Each structure stands twice: as structure tokens, then as C-alpha cells.
Amino acid sequence: MTRYDVFNGDADGICALIQLRLAEPASTELITGVKRDIGLLERIRASAGDEILVLDVSMDTNGPALRRLLEEGARVRYFDHHFPGEIPDHAGLEAVIDTAPETCTSLLVDAALDGRFRPWAIVAAFGDNLASSARAAAEGLGLSDAQLERLEMLGICINYNGYGSTLEDLHIHPAALYRQLVAYASPLDLIGDADSPLTLLEAGYLEDMNRAAAADLLLETPAAAALVLPDEAWARRVSGVYGNDLANAHPERAHAVLTSGADGSWRISVRAPLARRSGADVLCRRWPTGGGRSAAAGINALPADDLDAFLADFSTHWA
């Protein structure tokens, strides 16, 4: 019998797995990748009795592979907050799915574990730009404002590390980052450790965000703004967290951050207005390779010829 841990390479996927493996230690094969590499179940060929834990990847995208694995006799435990499509009715599947815009996968895991490792769920919520949810989860833990600020930076930095077109764009492979972080029972222990990965990631994040401040505007209206970054590794790394930063600065406005690809296509990160937190997934699913959740979504490869039509769609979607 083989155990697999399948998880998104962002803060939410990594922190969800940290919580579960601190609670339920096990020797497993890790299946992950860059944040937008979500067709992860295709990599697994299961045998009867194999156990597969899936965290923070779209069931809709992985539907055919999930059904195949269940038919092969695997048992699958699935936590996620993205649009799931049709959830299979199968005895081998345990699914905890909640698409509410104020939650994330790590908060769902936190509830399942009765808050045993809640600081890690708080880190994930901050990383998913759910600051209100993170602070609500922190109530009663006696954390100082300074501690919350460091947990927020940690969440942002873990999330930042997951963005990129390829693993070579990232500072740390998500599986390696998970292995480093799971050694800390609490993220508060990590914050004071100069040898922790936070030191590297925070330096990279601050440098890339300074570069992103010079992004060119493609469009700007009271309801929406779109900006373009160059086809460089730093820009691919920062696209998502820069979108979060813009959303926080202009909560009534939707944002799209575009990075050009070598093949001429566009990689797009979309953030719904924070004041509404809905509609980003609906917009992106209208376009090839698009998907995500209601507050934050994206398009992996928009054909160059579709750019003007996308911008027109984007500019009116929340108007």
C-alpha cells in the first residue's frame, strides 16, 4: 500500500498538509508543483488499497483522474475550496469542499482537526489574502500584533514562492519547502530562526515587489485595472502576490496582472474586488485554460489574439 500527498504548491496547500501530517505522521510520496500546476492526480497510477490525500487542487480539473483512481481501488481524502464540478458519489471518496469566498483549504483542515495546529491555518489564510479570516481564526490565541504581522509575512512569502511558469522560476521547490516547514510544530517557532526559509523568501519577495511597482497599465477604470509585467522569472514569481497587494490597496476595483509568455500567450492573475470577493472564477472559466475560485482566479495561457476581447470582458464584468 502506497500513500500519496497531493497538494498545491502555494501557502494554502503546503500549510494544509503541514497540519495534517503533524496530526497524522506518515511516510508518503509527495505530488506537487508550481501553484498553477493543478492536474496533479494524472501523475498517479494507483493500486487497490492505496491512500491519496488531496489538498487545495481543483476537483473539477482533476475529475477524470479522480474517477480513475477510485475505480482502481484507491481511497481518496479530498479537501478544497475551488469550484468542484460534479463530486463523485463513491464509497472510496471522502470530500470536504467549501467554496465560500472567506475560507480556504487550510481553514477546512483546521476545522477537521479541531484547531490543533491553528497558527499554520492562519498563515495559509494570510497567504490566500484572507486577512479578515486569518485574524478571526487567531482570536483567543493571545497573539500579539507583531506576531500576527510576522505570520502574515510568512503566508505571503510561502504563497509568493509558488508562482512561476516552471519549477525553475521558484526559489524553493514546494515539496522541499514543505519538508523544511513541517519540522516546526508552530510557525511562531520558525519566525525567530535565522536559518529558516523565511529569510530567503522574504528577501526575494521584497526585491520582486519593488520591481513590480513599475508595471505598465493596460487599462484603468473605476471598476477594473489591468497591468502587464515582462516575461521574466521575477515577474512570474510576483504576479499573484502583486495582484493581492493591488486588491488590498483598491478594494472596490478588480485587478488583472498579465505576464507575457515566450509563445506569445498571456498568463493572467485575476483578483475580484475585495469589497465583493466574487466572480473571478466565472470570468476566467469563460476563457481557455482559465479557472480558480470566486475571489482569485487566473488563466494559464490566453492566446495573444484574445487579449483585446479578454480586456473588454474583464473591464465590464464587475461594472
Side-chain angles (χ1 to χ4, degrees):
M1 187 266 285
T2 304
R3 292 187 175 94
Y4 299 90
D5 287 338
V6 183
F7 60 103
N8 197 307
D10 69 354
D12 197 17
I14 290 174
C15 292
L17 182 56
I18 290 170
Q19 293 176 81
L20 280 163
R21 287 299 164 224
L22 287 173
E24 305 166 8
S27 177
T28 66
E29 292 191 22
L30 302 180
I31 309 293
T32 189
V34 298
K35 180 177 174 66
R36 295 198 182 187
D37 185 2
I38 55 174
L40 299 175
L41 292 183
E42 284 288 350
R43 302 185 193 177
I44 302 175
R45 291 295 178 268
S47 301
D50 286 354
E51 295 182 358
I52 304 172
L53 173 65
V54 188
L55 301 167
D56 198 41
V57 293
S58 165
M59 184 180 287
D60 185 45
T61 299
N62 287 276
L66 172 61
R67 289 172 175 82
R68 172 181 57 78
L69 292 169
L70 292 169
E71 290 168 2
E72 289 171 350
R75 297 191 299 275
V76 182
R77 192 179 183 193
Y78 210 120
F79 290 84
D80 191 38
H81 66 137
H82 299 89
F83 172 74
E86 182 180 354
I87 300 175
D89 182 10
H90 194 285
L93 174 65
E94 176 190 350
V96 180
I97 309 292
D98 186 346
T99 62
E102 68 276 3
T103 197
C104 63
T105 301
S106 284
L107 289 173
L108 300 179
V109 170
D110 173 71
L113 296 177
D114 296 323
R116 287 178 60 189
F117 303 98
R118 182 158 296 166
W120 280 114
I122 293 168
V123 169
F126 276 128
D128 252 8
N129 204 33
L130 299 172
S132 295
S133 297
R135 293 184 183 278
E139 290 180 4
L141 297 185
L143 299 176
S144 68
D145 289 343
Q147 287 174 316
L148 281 174
E149 287 174 5
R150 295 308 292 162
L151 292 181
E152 181 173 17
M153 179 54 71
L154 176 59
I156 290 170
C157 287
I158 298 173
N159 214 47
Y160 153 78
N161 183 71
Y163 283 93
S165 295
T166 66
L167 291 168
E168 288 70 29
D169 286 341
L170 310 186
H171 291 292
I172 307 173
H173 191 295
L177 182 56
Y178 159 74
R179 291 189 182 100
Q180 292 179 55
L181 296 177
V182 76
Y184 299 88
S186 169
L188 296 169
D189 300 330
L190 176 153
I191 287 169
D193 184 353
D195 295 325
S196 81
L198 177 58
T199 303
L200 169 66
L201 296 181
E202 187 171 5
Y205 164 76
L206 293 173
E207 180 180 352
D208 289 352
M209 286 292 283
N210 284 334
R211 291 176 173 178
D216 294 325
L217 270 170
L218 287 178
L219 73 86
E220 185 175 25
T221 74
L227 303 94
V228 62
L229 295 173
D231 180 22
E232 297 182 25
W234 73 264
R236 294 188 291 272
R237 283 195 300 265
V238 84
S239 60
V241 290
Y242 185 52
N244 290 343
D245 200 56
L246 292 169
N248 292 329
H250 306 279
E252 298 292 335
R253 195 170 73 179
H255 295 86
V257 178
L258 294 81
T259 52
S260 57
D263 61 355
S265 67
W266 292 96
R267 186 182 183 89
I268 306 175
S269 289
V270 174
R271 298 294 179 268
L274 279 188
R276 280 175 274 177
R277 284 192 179 276
S278 64
D281 56 340
V282 174
L283 170 72
C284 291
R285 284 203 306 272
R286 289 203 286 262
W287 298 90
T289 71
R293 52 191 175 87
S294 59
I299 301 172
N300 286 338
L302 181 79
D305 291 343
D306 289 341
L307 178 59
D308 289 342
F310 167 77
L311 290 174
D313 191 11
F314 169 72
S315 66
T316 60
H317 185 65
W318 285 278

